[in-house]
Amino acid sequence: MRPMDPELPEHVARNRASWDRMAAEYAEPGARAWAADEPRWGIWGVPESELRLLPDDLEGRQTIELGCGTGYVSAWLARRGALPTGIDNSPEQLATARRLQEQHGIEFPLVLGNAEATPFADASFDFAISEYGAAIWCDPYAWIPEAARILRPGGDLVFLGNAALLMLTVPALEVDGPAGELLLRDYFGMHRFEWPDEDSVEFHIGHGAWLRLLRDSGFEVIDLIEIRAPEGATTRWTNIATPEWARRWPSEEVWKARKR
Ligand SMILES: C[S@@+](CC[C@H](N)C(=O)[O-])C[C@H]1O[C@@H](n2cnc3c(N)ncnc32)[C@H](O)[C@@H]1O
């Protein structure tokens, strides 16, 4: 195991170690997502034709995926003509991403780094996206201003993660779930989450807090999509939410914002 990097914030160093350990489990789902002809989002695999998270015209657009993991979202962007870059905190996840790039003959820059403090110049990108990357593993009060800094005016930020309601009703994510019908923790003040038996740190904030943070960071909020599991949908994440639950309440949410 690599030693913790003393230069990284404590939660980033812990999440690096944790994701390096988990990377092998994500190689196979990553390979399937790379091979998919249409993007499918989140734990229910909702097709892009329904959710429409991507801009219509990506030709020649410089995009950044914040917490790219195995890099399949950036591969989808590359196939639509974009010039993607992926940044991720885990050397092992990036090793999988590099292998998949070679297999598919789609090459784009993969940068090892913290999405809360990236090495990119101001206004470098036209579009930023995170599906369960920075969206839940980075402190929003650090990564949202950073996303604003590296986006050009008019550039969109789209991120997808667990819905606020799920975070209040899930006993302990990935350990004791799934989400039930009782509120188990406070909504006010929600921010940093650590689960028993897990050495990782997640961040989830309420809707009002997201709205204010995005606006204060220079974004106009375009949409908040609360994802409803499609009828008959299945997921390998039934320890987080059952399909029945996710037909009644949002288990995932997508924020869309535009840099002013
Ligand atoms: C669940 S994966 C996201 C990739 C892919 N969309 C997926 O759903 O599998 C989460 C990724 O976030 C990365 N991550 C966690 N903290 C990060 C940070 N501070 N900066 C950049 N990436 C980070 C992890 O290393 C991991 O590869």
Side-chain angles (χ1 to χ4, degrees), residues 11-12 15-16 19-20 26 30 65-73 87-91 93-94 113-116 130-134 136-138 236:
H11 65 277
V12 179
N15 285 343
R16 176 171 290 183
W19 272 100
D20 275 348
Y26 281 74
E65 185 180 359
L66 298 161
C68 64
T70 59
Y72 58 81
V73 173
I87 184 168
D88 199 278
N89 183 36
S90 157
Q93 285 277 84
L94 290 178
N114 174 12
E116 298 171 356
S130 171
E131 187 206 31
Y132 283 111
I136 69 164
W137 299 101
C138 289
R236 67 188 172 107

PDB file of all heavy atoms in Angstrom, residues 11-12 15-16 19-20 26 30 65-73 87-91 93-94 113-116 130-134 136-138 236, ligand 1:
ATOM      1  N   HIS A  11      -9.098  14.250   4.275  1.00  0.00           N
ATOM      2  CA  HIS A  11     -10.128  13.423   3.627  1.00  0.00           C
ATOM      3  C   HIS A  11      -9.691  12.976   2.244  1.00  0.00           C
ATOM      4  O   HIS A  11     -10.064  11.892   1.789  1.00  0.00           O
ATOM      5  CB  HIS A  11     -11.479  14.165   3.582  1.00  0.00           C
ATOM      6  CG  HIS A  11     -11.476  15.392   2.729  1.00  0.00           C
ATOM      7  ND1 HIS A  11     -11.035  16.621   3.166  1.00  0.00           N
ATOM      8  CD2 HIS A  11     -11.861  15.588   1.440  1.00  0.00           C
ATOM      9  CE1 HIS A  11     -11.155  17.512   2.194  1.00  0.00           C
ATOM     10  NE2 HIS A  11     -11.648  16.915   1.136  1.00  0.00           N
ATOM     11  N   VAL A  12      -8.868  13.794   1.565  1.00  0.00           N
ATOM     12  CA  VAL A  12      -8.423  13.429   0.210  1.00  0.00           C
ATOM     13  C   VAL A  12      -7.417  12.274   0.294  1.00  0.00           C
ATOM     14  O   VAL A  12      -7.467  11.319  -0.496  1.00  0.00           O
ATOM     15  CB  VAL A  12      -7.814  14.659  -0.514  1.00  0.00           C
ATOM     16  CG1 VAL A  12      -7.324  14.281  -1.907  1.00  0.00           C
ATOM     17  CG2 VAL A  12      -8.854  15.778  -0.617  1.00  0.00           C
ATOM     18  N   ASN A  15      -9.414   9.165   1.100  1.00  0.00           N
ATOM     19  CA  ASN A  15     -10.181   8.689  -0.059  1.00  0.00           C
ATOM     20  C   ASN A  15      -9.257   8.107  -1.133  1.00  0.00           C
ATOM     21  O   ASN A  15      -9.641   7.181  -1.848  1.00  0.00           O
ATOM     22  CB  ASN A  15     -11.043   9.822  -0.629  1.00  0.00           C
ATOM     23  CG  ASN A  15     -12.254  10.090   0.248  1.00  0.00           C
ATOM     24  OD1 ASN A  15     -12.629   9.261   1.077  1.00  0.00           O
ATOM     25  ND2 ASN A  15     -12.860  11.259   0.097  1.00  0.00           N
ATOM     26  N   ARG A  16      -8.034   8.623  -1.237  1.00  0.00           N
ATOM     27  CA  ARG A  16      -7.087   8.040  -2.207  1.00  0.00           C
ATOM     28  C   ARG A  16      -6.783   6.589  -1.816  1.00  0.00           C
ATOM     29  O   ARG A  16      -6.855   5.689  -2.653  1.00  0.00           O
ATOM     30  CB  ARG A  16      -5.799   8.856  -2.256  1.00  0.00           C
ATOM     31  CG  ARG A  16      -4.771   8.226  -3.176  1.00  0.00           C
ATOM     32  CD  ARG A  16      -3.588   9.126  -3.411  1.00  0.00           C
ATOM     33  NE  ARG A  16      -3.948  10.286  -4.224  1.00  0.00           N
ATOM     34  CZ  ARG A  16      -3.080  11.208  -4.627  1.00  0.00           C
ATOM     35  NH1 ARG A  16      -1.808  11.124  -4.270  1.00  0.00           N
ATOM     36  NH2 ARG A  16      -3.473  12.224  -5.381  1.00  0.00           N
ATOM     37  N   TRP A  19      -9.937   4.430  -2.424  1.00  0.00           N
ATOM     38  CA  TRP A  19     -10.230   4.155  -3.839  1.00  0.00           C
ATOM     39  C   TRP A  19      -9.169   3.286  -4.479  1.00  0.00           C
ATOM     40  O   TRP A  19      -9.471   2.485  -5.378  1.00  0.00           O
ATOM     41  CB  TRP A  19     -10.470   5.450  -4.622  1.00  0.00           C
ATOM     42  CG  TRP A  19     -11.916   5.806  -4.514  1.00  0.00           C
ATOM     43  CD1 TRP A  19     -12.485   6.721  -3.676  1.00  0.00           C
ATOM     44  CD2 TRP A  19     -12.993   5.169  -5.212  1.00  0.00           C
ATOM     45  NE1 TRP A  19     -13.856   6.693  -3.817  1.00  0.00           N
ATOM     46  CE2 TRP A  19     -14.189   5.756  -4.742  1.00  0.00           C
ATOM     47  CE3 TRP A  19     -13.072   4.161  -6.167  1.00  0.00           C
ATOM     48  CZ2 TRP A  19     -15.440   5.361  -5.223  1.00  0.00           C
ATOM     49  CZ3 TRP A  19     -14.313   3.766  -6.648  1.00  0.00           C
ATOM     50  CH2 TRP A  19     -15.481   4.372  -6.173  1.00  0.00           C
ATOM     51  N   ASP A  20      -7.927   3.403  -4.033  1.00  0.00           N
ATOM     52  CA  ASP A  20      -6.910   2.481  -4.558  1.00  0.00           C
ATOM     53  C   ASP A  20      -7.263   1.045  -4.167  1.00  0.00           C
ATOM     54  O   ASP A  20      -7.091   0.124  -4.954  1.00  0.00           O
ATOM     55  CB  ASP A  20      -5.515   2.861  -4.034  1.00  0.00           C
ATOM     56  CG  ASP A  20      -4.865   3.941  -4.897  1.00  0.00           C
ATOM     57  OD1 ASP A  20      -5.381   4.216  -5.998  1.00  0.00           O
ATOM     58  OD2 ASP A  20      -3.846   4.512  -4.469  1.00  0.00           O
ATOM     59  N   TYR A  26     -14.112  -1.943  -9.504  1.00  0.00           N
ATOM     60  CA  TYR A  26     -14.725  -1.011 -10.459  1.00  0.00           C
ATOM     61  C   TYR A  26     -14.240  -1.220 -11.892  1.00  0.00           C
ATOM     62  O   TYR A  26     -14.733  -0.587 -12.817  1.00  0.00           O
ATOM     63  CB  TYR A  26     -14.478   0.438 -10.002  1.00  0.00           C
ATOM     64  CG  TYR A  26     -15.443   0.822  -8.902  1.00  0.00           C
ATOM     65  CD1 TYR A  26     -15.270   0.317  -7.611  1.00  0.00           C
ATOM     66  CD2 TYR A  26     -16.556   1.610  -9.156  1.00  0.00           C
ATOM     67  CE1 TYR A  26     -16.174   0.618  -6.595  1.00  0.00           C
ATOM     68  CE2 TYR A  26     -17.462   1.904  -8.162  1.00  0.00           C
ATOM     69  CZ  TYR A  26     -17.270   1.414  -6.886  1.00  0.00           C
ATOM     70  OH  TYR A  26     -18.181   1.705  -5.902  1.00  0.00           O
ATOM     71  N   GLY A  30     -16.581  -0.566 -15.111  1.00  0.00           N
ATOM     72  CA  GLY A  30     -15.983   0.489 -15.945  1.00  0.00           C
ATOM     73  C   GLY A  30     -15.850   0.012 -17.385  1.00  0.00           C
ATOM     74  O   GLY A  30     -16.178   0.736 -18.326  1.00  0.00           O
ATOM     75  N   GLU A  65     -13.613  16.033 -16.585  1.00  0.00           N
ATOM     76  CA  GLU A  65     -14.386  15.133 -15.727  1.00  0.00           C
ATOM     77  C   GLU A  65     -13.699  15.103 -14.365  1.00  0.00           C
ATOM     78  O   GLU A  65     -12.531  14.693 -14.244  1.00  0.00           O
ATOM     79  CB  GLU A  65     -14.456  13.727 -16.339  1.00  0.00           C
ATOM     80  CG  GLU A  65     -15.363  12.821 -15.516  1.00  0.00           C
ATOM     81  CD  GLU A  65     -15.480  11.402 -16.059  1.00  0.00           C
ATOM     82  OE1 GLU A  65     -14.875  11.079 -17.106  1.00  0.00           O
ATOM     83  OE2 GLU A  65     -16.171  10.597 -15.400  1.00  0.00           O
ATOM     84  N   LEU A  66     -14.431  15.538 -13.358  1.00  0.00           N
ATOM     85  CA  LEU A  66     -13.845  15.742 -12.023  1.00  0.00           C
ATOM     86  C   LEU A  66     -14.092  14.497 -11.167  1.00  0.00           C
ATOM     87  O   LEU A  66     -15.201  14.277 -10.682  1.00  0.00           O
ATOM     88  CB  LEU A  66     -14.467  16.993 -11.394  1.00  0.00           C
ATOM     89  CG  LEU A  66     -14.187  18.282 -12.183  1.00  0.00           C
ATOM     90  CD1 LEU A  66     -15.172  19.383 -11.813  1.00  0.00           C
ATOM     91  CD2 LEU A  66     -12.752  18.749 -11.966  1.00  0.00           C
ATOM     92  N   GLY A  67     -13.045  13.699 -10.989  1.00  0.00           N
ATOM     93  CA  GLY A  67     -13.200  12.390 -10.334  1.00  0.00           C
ATOM     94  C   GLY A  67     -13.642  11.397 -11.381  1.00  0.00           C
ATOM     95  O   GLY A  67     -14.709  10.811 -11.301  1.00  0.00           O
ATOM     96  N   CYS A  68     -12.778  11.194 -12.390  1.00  0.00           N
ATOM     97  CA  CYS A  68     -13.197  10.451 -13.595  1.00  0.00           C
ATOM     98  C   CYS A  68     -13.178   8.945 -13.394  1.00  0.00           C
ATOM     99  O   CYS A  68     -13.740   8.213 -14.213  1.00  0.00           O
ATOM    100  CB  CYS A  68     -12.310  10.821 -14.781  1.00  0.00           C
ATOM    101  SG  CYS A  68     -10.573  10.361 -14.560  1.00  0.00           S
ATOM    102  N   GLY A  69     -12.538   8.449 -12.326  1.00  0.00           N
ATOM    103  CA  GLY A  69     -12.482   7.002 -12.123  1.00  0.00           C
ATOM    104  C   GLY A  69     -11.944   6.303 -13.354  1.00  0.00           C
ATOM    105  O   GLY A  69     -10.886   6.666 -13.882  1.00  0.00           O
ATOM    106  N   THR A  70     -12.710   5.331 -13.858  1.00  0.00           N
ATOM    107  CA  THR A  70     -12.249   4.552 -15.014  1.00  0.00           C
ATOM    108  C   THR A  70     -12.424   5.308 -16.336  1.00  0.00           C
ATOM    109  O   THR A  70     -12.063   4.778 -17.391  1.00  0.00           O
ATOM    110  CB  THR A  70     -12.992   3.201 -15.085  1.00  0.00           C
ATOM    111  OG1 THR A  70     -14.400   3.473 -15.180  1.00  0.00           O
ATOM    112  CG2 THR A  70     -12.733   2.366 -13.840  1.00  0.00           C
ATOM    113  N   GLY A  71     -12.985   6.492 -16.294  1.00  0.00           N
ATOM    114  CA  GLY A  71     -12.958   7.405 -17.448  1.00  0.00           C
ATOM    115  C   GLY A  71     -14.030   7.185 -18.500  1.00  0.00           C
ATOM    116  O   GLY A  71     -13.981   7.776 -19.574  1.00  0.00           O
ATOM    117  N   TYR A  72     -15.086   6.400 -18.147  1.00  0.00           N
ATOM    118  CA  TYR A  72     -16.050   6.102 -19.213  1.00  0.00           C
ATOM    119  C   TYR A  72     -16.866   7.321 -19.626  1.00  0.00           C
ATOM    120  O   TYR A  72     -17.236   7.454 -20.788  1.00  0.00           O
ATOM    121  CB  TYR A  72     -16.968   4.923 -18.846  1.00  0.00           C
ATOM    122  CG  TYR A  72     -17.770   5.075 -17.581  1.00  0.00           C
ATOM    123  CD1 TYR A  72     -18.947   5.800 -17.554  1.00  0.00           C
ATOM    124  CD2 TYR A  72     -17.336   4.478 -16.403  1.00  0.00           C
ATOM    125  CE1 TYR A  72     -19.675   5.929 -16.383  1.00  0.00           C
ATOM    126  CE2 TYR A  72     -18.050   4.598 -15.231  1.00  0.00           C
ATOM    127  CZ  TYR A  72     -19.222   5.328 -15.221  1.00  0.00           C
ATOM    128  OH  TYR A  72     -19.934   5.464 -14.060  1.00  0.00           O
ATOM    129  N   VAL A  73     -17.142   8.238 -18.703  1.00  0.00           N
ATOM    130  CA  VAL A  73     -17.920   9.426 -19.091  1.00  0.00           C
ATOM    131  C   VAL A  73     -17.105  10.233 -20.106  1.00  0.00           C
ATOM    132  O   VAL A  73     -17.635  10.676 -21.133  1.00  0.00           O
ATOM    133  CB  VAL A  73     -18.302  10.283 -17.864  1.00  0.00           C
ATOM    134  CG1 VAL A  73     -18.951  11.593 -18.304  1.00  0.00           C
ATOM    135  CG2 VAL A  73     -19.239   9.513 -16.937  1.00  0.00           C
ATOM    136  N   ILE A  87      -9.594  14.026 -14.430  1.00  0.00           N
ATOM    137  CA  ILE A  87      -8.720  14.127 -13.253  1.00  0.00           C
ATOM    138  C   ILE A  87      -9.279  13.196 -12.187  1.00  0.00           C
ATOM    139  O   ILE A  87     -10.495  13.111 -11.995  1.00  0.00           O
ATOM    140  CB  ILE A  87      -8.587  15.581 -12.740  1.00  0.00           C
ATOM    141  CG1 ILE A  87      -7.586  15.639 -11.566  1.00  0.00           C
ATOM    142  CG2 ILE A  87      -9.912  16.209 -12.356  1.00  0.00           C
ATOM    143  CD1 ILE A  87      -7.171  17.068 -11.188  1.00  0.00           C
ATOM    144  N   ASP A  88      -8.393  12.473 -11.525  1.00  0.00           N
ATOM    145  CA  ASP A  88      -8.824  11.575 -10.463  1.00  0.00           C
ATOM    146  C   ASP A  88      -7.728  11.481  -9.415  1.00  0.00           C
ATOM    147  O   ASP A  88      -6.541  11.625  -9.707  1.00  0.00           O
ATOM    148  CB  ASP A  88      -9.164  10.179 -11.012  1.00  0.00           C
ATOM    149  CG  ASP A  88     -10.039   9.388 -10.055  1.00  0.00           C
ATOM    150  OD1 ASP A  88      -9.485   8.790  -9.099  1.00  0.00           O
ATOM    151  OD2 ASP A  88     -11.273   9.397 -10.222  1.00  0.00           O
ATOM    152  N   ASN A  89      -8.166  11.176  -8.205  1.00  0.00           N
ATOM    153  CA  ASN A  89      -7.295  11.143  -7.029  1.00  0.00           C
ATOM    154  C   ASN A  89      -6.668   9.768  -6.812  1.00  0.00           C
ATOM    155  O   ASN A  89      -5.830   9.621  -5.944  1.00  0.00           O
ATOM    156  CB  ASN A  89      -8.204  11.538  -5.845  1.00  0.00           C
ATOM    157  CG  ASN A  89      -7.488  11.645  -4.535  1.00  0.00           C
ATOM    158  OD1 ASN A  89      -6.345  12.087  -4.490  1.00  0.00           O
ATOM    159  ND2 ASN A  89      -8.139  11.238  -3.461  1.00  0.00           N
ATOM    160  N   SER A  90      -7.091   8.756  -7.585  1.00  0.00           N
ATOM    161  CA  SER A  90      -6.631   7.390  -7.312  1.00  0.00           C
ATOM    162  C   SER A  90      -5.748   6.868  -8.447  1.00  0.00           C
ATOM    163  O   SER A  90      -6.227   6.657  -9.568  1.00  0.00           O
ATOM    164  CB  SER A  90      -7.839   6.464  -7.133  1.00  0.00           C
ATOM    165  OG  SER A  90      -7.491   5.126  -7.390  1.00  0.00           O
ATOM    166  N   PRO A  91      -4.460   6.623  -8.168  1.00  0.00           N
ATOM    167  CA  PRO A  91      -3.592   6.051  -9.209  1.00  0.00           C
ATOM    168  C   PRO A  91      -4.130   4.733  -9.748  1.00  0.00           C
ATOM    169  O   PRO A  91      -4.018   4.460 -10.953  1.00  0.00           O
ATOM    170  CB  PRO A  91      -2.252   5.825  -8.479  1.00  0.00           C
ATOM    171  CG  PRO A  91      -2.270   6.774  -7.328  1.00  0.00           C
ATOM    172  CD  PRO A  91      -3.714   6.914  -6.926  1.00  0.00           C
ATOM    173  N   GLN A  93      -7.354   3.698  -9.999  1.00  0.00           N
ATOM    174  CA  GLN A  93      -8.485   3.937 -10.907  1.00  0.00           C
ATOM    175  C   GLN A  93      -7.953   4.443 -12.261  1.00  0.00           C
ATOM    176  O   GLN A  93      -8.424   4.032 -13.315  1.00  0.00           O
ATOM    177  CB  GLN A  93      -9.439   4.986 -10.304  1.00  0.00           C
ATOM    178  CG  GLN A  93     -10.290   4.471  -9.174  1.00  0.00           C
ATOM    179  CD  GLN A  93     -11.531   3.755  -9.712  1.00  0.00           C
ATOM    180  OE1 GLN A  93     -11.462   2.563 -10.045  1.00  0.00           O
ATOM    181  NE2 GLN A  93     -12.644   4.457  -9.783  1.00  0.00           N
ATOM    182  N   LEU A  94      -6.958   5.318 -12.214  1.00  0.00           N
ATOM    183  CA  LEU A  94      -6.409   5.848 -13.468  1.00  0.00           C
ATOM    184  C   LEU A  94      -5.682   4.760 -14.254  1.00  0.00           C
ATOM    185  O   LEU A  94      -5.675   4.781 -15.493  1.00  0.00           O
ATOM    186  CB  LEU A  94      -5.472   7.027 -13.182  1.00  0.00           C
ATOM    187  CG  LEU A  94      -6.185   8.297 -12.697  1.00  0.00           C
ATOM    188  CD1 LEU A  94      -5.174   9.400 -12.379  1.00  0.00           C
ATOM    189  CD2 LEU A  94      -7.185   8.804 -13.746  1.00  0.00           C
ATOM    190  N   GLY A 113      -4.793  13.852  -9.485  1.00  0.00           N
ATOM    191  CA  GLY A 113      -4.874  15.073  -8.680  1.00  0.00           C
ATOM    192  C   GLY A 113      -6.190  15.167  -7.936  1.00  0.00           C
ATOM    193  O   GLY A 113      -7.092  14.342  -8.109  1.00  0.00           O
ATOM    194  N   ASN A 114      -6.264  16.201  -7.136  1.00  0.00           N
ATOM    195  CA  ASN A 114      -7.422  16.466  -6.284  1.00  0.00           C
ATOM    196  C   ASN A 114      -8.327  17.465  -6.994  1.00  0.00           C
ATOM    197  O   ASN A 114      -7.899  18.588  -7.295  1.00  0.00           O
ATOM    198  CB  ASN A 114      -6.892  17.028  -4.950  1.00  0.00           C
ATOM    199  CG  ASN A 114      -7.992  17.492  -4.030  1.00  0.00           C
ATOM    200  OD1 ASN A 114      -9.177  17.210  -4.256  1.00  0.00           O
ATOM    201  ND2 ASN A 114      -7.599  18.210  -2.980  1.00  0.00           N
ATOM    202  N   ALA A 115      -9.577  17.080  -7.229  1.00  0.00           N
ATOM    203  CA  ALA A 115     -10.505  17.962  -7.950  1.00  0.00           C
ATOM    204  C   ALA A 115     -10.851  19.226  -7.164  1.00  0.00           C
ATOM    205  O   ALA A 115     -11.452  20.147  -7.712  1.00  0.00           O
ATOM    206  CB  ALA A 115     -11.777  17.195  -8.311  1.00  0.00           C
ATOM    207  N   GLU A 116     -10.451  19.285  -5.897  1.00  0.00           N
ATOM    208  CA  GLU A 116     -10.688  20.498  -5.110  1.00  0.00           C
ATOM    209  C   GLU A 116      -9.624  21.562  -5.395  1.00  0.00           C
ATOM    210  O   GLU A 116      -9.795  22.722  -5.027  1.00  0.00           O
ATOM    211  CB  GLU A 116     -10.649  20.172  -3.616  1.00  0.00           C
ATOM    212  CG  GLU A 116     -11.725  19.199  -3.183  1.00  0.00           C
ATOM    213  CD  GLU A 116     -11.531  18.727  -1.750  1.00  0.00           C
ATOM    214  OE1 GLU A 116     -10.521  19.093  -1.109  1.00  0.00           O
ATOM    215  OE2 GLU A 116     -12.397  17.973  -1.272  1.00  0.00           O
ATOM    216  N   SER A 130     -19.312  15.522 -13.392  1.00  0.00           N
ATOM    217  CA  SER A 130     -18.914  14.534 -12.394  1.00  0.00           C
ATOM    218  C   SER A 130     -20.095  13.622 -12.114  1.00  0.00           C
ATOM    219  O   SER A 130     -21.158  14.080 -11.713  1.00  0.00           O
ATOM    220  CB  SER A 130     -18.490  15.215 -11.096  1.00  0.00           C
ATOM    221  OG  SER A 130     -18.311  14.208 -10.110  1.00  0.00           O
ATOM    222  N   GLU A 131     -19.890  12.340 -12.324  1.00  0.00           N
ATOM    223  CA  GLU A 131     -20.890  11.346 -11.935  1.00  0.00           C
ATOM    224  C   GLU A 131     -20.291  10.582 -10.758  1.00  0.00           C
ATOM    225  O   GLU A 131     -19.364   9.779 -10.935  1.00  0.00           O
ATOM    226  CB  GLU A 131     -21.178  10.391 -13.102  1.00  0.00           C
ATOM    227  CG  GLU A 131     -22.331   9.433 -12.799  1.00  0.00           C
ATOM    228  CD  GLU A 131     -22.245   8.135 -13.591  1.00  0.00           C
ATOM    229  OE1 GLU A 131     -21.140   7.668 -13.906  1.00  0.00           O
ATOM    230  OE2 GLU A 131     -23.320   7.570 -13.880  1.00  0.00           O
ATOM    231  N   TYR A 132     -20.785  10.869  -9.567  1.00  0.00           N
ATOM    232  CA  TYR A 132     -20.295  10.208  -8.351  1.00  0.00           C
ATOM    233  C   TYR A 132     -18.786  10.360  -8.146  1.00  0.00           C
ATOM    234  O   TYR A 132     -18.169   9.518  -7.499  1.00  0.00           O
ATOM    235  CB  TYR A 132     -20.649   8.712  -8.345  1.00  0.00           C
ATOM    236  CG  TYR A 132     -22.090   8.435  -8.008  1.00  0.00           C
ATOM    237  CD1 TYR A 132     -22.973   7.946  -8.962  1.00  0.00           C
ATOM    238  CD2 TYR A 132     -22.575   8.650  -6.730  1.00  0.00           C
ATOM    239  CE1 TYR A 132     -24.306   7.681  -8.646  1.00  0.00           C
ATOM    240  CE2 TYR A 132     -23.903   8.394  -6.405  1.00  0.00           C
ATOM    241  CZ  TYR A 132     -24.753   7.913  -7.363  1.00  0.00           C
ATOM    242  OH  TYR A 132     -26.059   7.650  -7.043  1.00  0.00           O
ATOM    243  N   GLY A 133     -18.174  11.410  -8.734  1.00  0.00           N
ATOM    244  CA  GLY A 133     -16.754  11.658  -8.490  1.00  0.00           C
ATOM    245  C   GLY A 133     -16.634  12.778  -7.459  1.00  0.00           C
ATOM    246  O   GLY A 133     -17.027  12.617  -6.300  1.00  0.00           O
ATOM    247  N   ALA A 134     -16.119  13.948  -7.906  1.00  0.00           N
ATOM    248  CA  ALA A 134     -16.095  15.112  -7.011  1.00  0.00           C
ATOM    249  C   ALA A 134     -17.472  15.334  -6.403  1.00  0.00           C
ATOM    250  O   ALA A 134     -17.596  15.777  -5.246  1.00  0.00           O
ATOM    251  CB  ALA A 134     -15.645  16.346  -7.789  1.00  0.00           C
ATOM    252  N   ILE A 136     -19.551  13.631  -4.927  1.00  0.00           N
ATOM    253  CA  ILE A 136     -19.795  13.157  -3.550  1.00  0.00           C
ATOM    254  C   ILE A 136     -18.521  12.977  -2.726  1.00  0.00           C
ATOM    255  O   ILE A 136     -18.590  12.883  -1.510  1.00  0.00           O
ATOM    256  CB  ILE A 136     -20.613  11.833  -3.503  1.00  0.00           C
ATOM    257  CG1 ILE A 136     -19.818  10.645  -4.042  1.00  0.00           C
ATOM    258  CG2 ILE A 136     -21.937  11.978  -4.255  1.00  0.00           C
ATOM    259  CD1 ILE A 136     -20.437   9.298  -3.636  1.00  0.00           C
ATOM    260  N   TRP A 137     -17.345  12.921  -3.376  1.00  0.00           N
ATOM    261  CA  TRP A 137     -16.117  12.618  -2.623  1.00  0.00           C
ATOM    262  C   TRP A 137     -15.309  13.849  -2.280  1.00  0.00           C
ATOM    263  O   TRP A 137     -14.300  13.751  -1.569  1.00  0.00           O
ATOM    264  CB  TRP A 137     -15.239  11.629  -3.411  1.00  0.00           C
ATOM    265  CG  TRP A 137     -15.927  10.336  -3.649  1.00  0.00           C
ATOM    266  CD1 TRP A 137     -16.544   9.935  -4.801  1.00  0.00           C
ATOM    267  CD2 TRP A 137     -16.126   9.270  -2.701  1.00  0.00           C
ATOM    268  NE1 TRP A 137     -17.107   8.691  -4.619  1.00  0.00           N
ATOM    269  CE2 TRP A 137     -16.861   8.260  -3.352  1.00  0.00           C
ATOM    270  CE3 TRP A 137     -15.739   9.078  -1.372  1.00  0.00           C
ATOM    271  CZ2 TRP A 137     -17.229   7.075  -2.722  1.00  0.00           C
ATOM    272  CZ3 TRP A 137     -16.107   7.894  -0.746  1.00  0.00           C
ATOM    273  CH2 TRP A 137     -16.836   6.919  -1.413  1.00  0.00           C
ATOM    274  N   CYS A 138     -15.677  14.993  -2.843  1.00  0.00           N
ATOM    275  CA  CYS A 138     -14.936  16.225  -2.569  1.00  0.00           C
ATOM    276  C   CYS A 138     -15.809  17.152  -1.736  1.00  0.00           C
ATOM    277  O   CYS A 138     -17.034  17.124  -1.826  1.00  0.00           O
ATOM    278  CB  CYS A 138     -14.569  16.935  -3.869  1.00  0.00           C
ATOM    279  SG  CYS A 138     -13.304  16.064  -4.794  1.00  0.00           S
ATOM    280  N   ARG A 236     -27.370  -2.961  -9.149  1.00  0.00           N
ATOM    281  CA  ARG A 236     -26.540  -3.807  -8.271  1.00  0.00           C
ATOM    282  C   ARG A 236     -26.399  -3.145  -6.903  1.00  0.00           C
ATOM    283  O   ARG A 236     -25.790  -3.688  -5.998  1.00  0.00           O
ATOM    284  CB  ARG A 236     -25.174  -4.066  -8.907  1.00  0.00           C
ATOM    285  CG  ARG A 236     -24.275  -2.865  -9.035  1.00  0.00           C
ATOM    286  CD  ARG A 236     -23.027  -3.212  -9.851  1.00  0.00           C
ATOM    287  NE  ARG A 236     -22.234  -2.045 -10.141  1.00  0.00           N
ATOM    288  CZ  ARG A 236     -21.075  -1.758  -9.571  1.00  0.00           C
ATOM    289  NH1 ARG A 236     -20.554  -2.561  -8.689  1.00  0.00           N
ATOM    290  NH2 ARG A 236     -20.407  -0.673  -9.894  1.00  0.00           N
TER     291      ARG A 236
HETATM  292  C1  LIG B   1     -17.456   6.165  -8.280  1.00  0.00           C
HETATM  293  S1  LIG B   1     -15.983   6.786  -9.038  1.00  0.00           S
HETATM  294  C2  LIG B   1     -16.601   7.935 -10.198  1.00  0.00           C
HETATM  295  C3  LIG B   1     -16.296   7.500 -11.578  1.00  0.00           C
HETATM  296  C4  LIG B   1     -17.410   6.886 -12.331  1.00  0.00           C
HETATM  297  N1  LIG B   1     -18.329   7.869 -12.865  1.00  0.00           N
HETATM  298  C5  LIG B   1     -18.156   5.842 -11.536  1.00  0.00           C
HETATM  299  O1  LIG B   1     -19.314   6.112 -11.155  1.00  0.00           O
HETATM  300  O2  LIG B   1     -17.602   4.757 -11.324  1.00  0.00           O
HETATM  301  C6  LIG B   1     -15.392   7.909  -7.798  1.00  0.00           C
HETATM  302  C7  LIG B   1     -14.028   8.477  -8.158  1.00  0.00           C
HETATM  303  O3  LIG B   1     -13.830   9.710  -7.466  1.00  0.00           O
HETATM  304  C8  LIG B   1     -12.451   9.794  -7.233  1.00  0.00           C
HETATM  305  N2  LIG B   1     -12.145  10.816  -6.223  1.00  0.00           N
HETATM  306  C9  LIG B   1     -12.363  10.762  -4.893  1.00  0.00           C
HETATM  307  N3  LIG B   1     -11.913  11.885  -4.305  1.00  0.00           N
HETATM  308  C10 LIG B   1     -11.383  12.655  -5.298  1.00  0.00           C
HETATM  309  C11 LIG B   1     -10.737  13.915  -5.329  1.00  0.00           C
HETATM  310  N4  LIG B   1     -10.539  14.627  -4.213  1.00  0.00           N
HETATM  311  N5  LIG B   1     -10.319  14.394  -6.518  1.00  0.00           N
HETATM  312  C12 LIG B   1     -10.504  13.692  -7.670  1.00  0.00           C
HETATM  313  N6  LIG B   1     -11.089  12.479  -7.702  1.00  0.00           N
HETATM  314  C13 LIG B   1     -11.536  11.974  -6.531  1.00  0.00           C
HETATM  315  C14 LIG B   1     -12.071   8.399  -6.786  1.00  0.00           C
HETATM  316  O4  LIG B   1     -10.683   8.181  -6.844  1.00  0.00           O
HETATM  317  C15 LIG B   1     -12.884   7.552  -7.743  1.00  0.00           C
HETATM  318  O5  LIG B   1     -12.151   7.160  -8.854  1.00  0.00           O
END
